[in-house]
């Protein structure tokens, strides 16, 4: 049951980011708040994943420029 809540919150947080990137910040913030209400740790986890992806992309881009 806890894993289901975690997964649901994580998926909802991903949708929130997609909405924000697409320009619908208000909708994204609403989904993010909902995800935090379900499982704040899942939202934090997604934040870490996004940061890791950002660093990986930057490293890849920097490597290609050498």
């Amino acid at each position: 049951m806890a894993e289901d809540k975690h997964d649901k919150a994580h998926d909802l947080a991903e949708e929130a980011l997609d909405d924000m990137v697409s320009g619908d910040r208000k909708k994204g913030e609403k989904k993010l708040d909902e995800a935090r209400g379900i499982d704040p740790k899942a939202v934090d986890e997604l934040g870490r994943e996004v940061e890791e992806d950002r660093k990986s992309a930057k490293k890849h881009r920097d490597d290609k420029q050498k």
Side-chain angles (χ1 to χ4, degrees):
M1 180 86 171
E3 189 67 28
D4 291 340
K5 283 187 172 186
H6 180 85
D7 290 343
K8 180 177 180 175
H10 192 278
D11 291 346
L12 196 55
E14 285 180 333
E15 288 178 25
L17 288 178
D18 289 342
D19 289 340
M20 290 179 186
V21 168
S22 297
D24 196 343
R25 186 170 180 88
K26 187 173 182 177
K27 184 177 178 183
E29 287 177 357
K30 183 177 178 184
K31 286 182 181 178
L32 199 54
D33 287 342
E34 185 179 346
R36 282 190 187 110
I38 296 169
D39 186 349
K41 289 182 180 181
V43 177
D44 293 342
E45 178 183 284
L46 180 64
R48 287 189 299 274
E49 291 171 6
V50 168
E51 183 61 19
E52 288 171 11
D53 288 348
R54 186 193 65 78
K55 287 179 182 176
S56 178
K58 183 182 183 314
K59 182 181 180 326
H60 180 70
R61 184 181 66 238
D62 291 347
D63 289 347
K64 285 184 100 177
Q65 292 177 352
K66 289 181 181 178

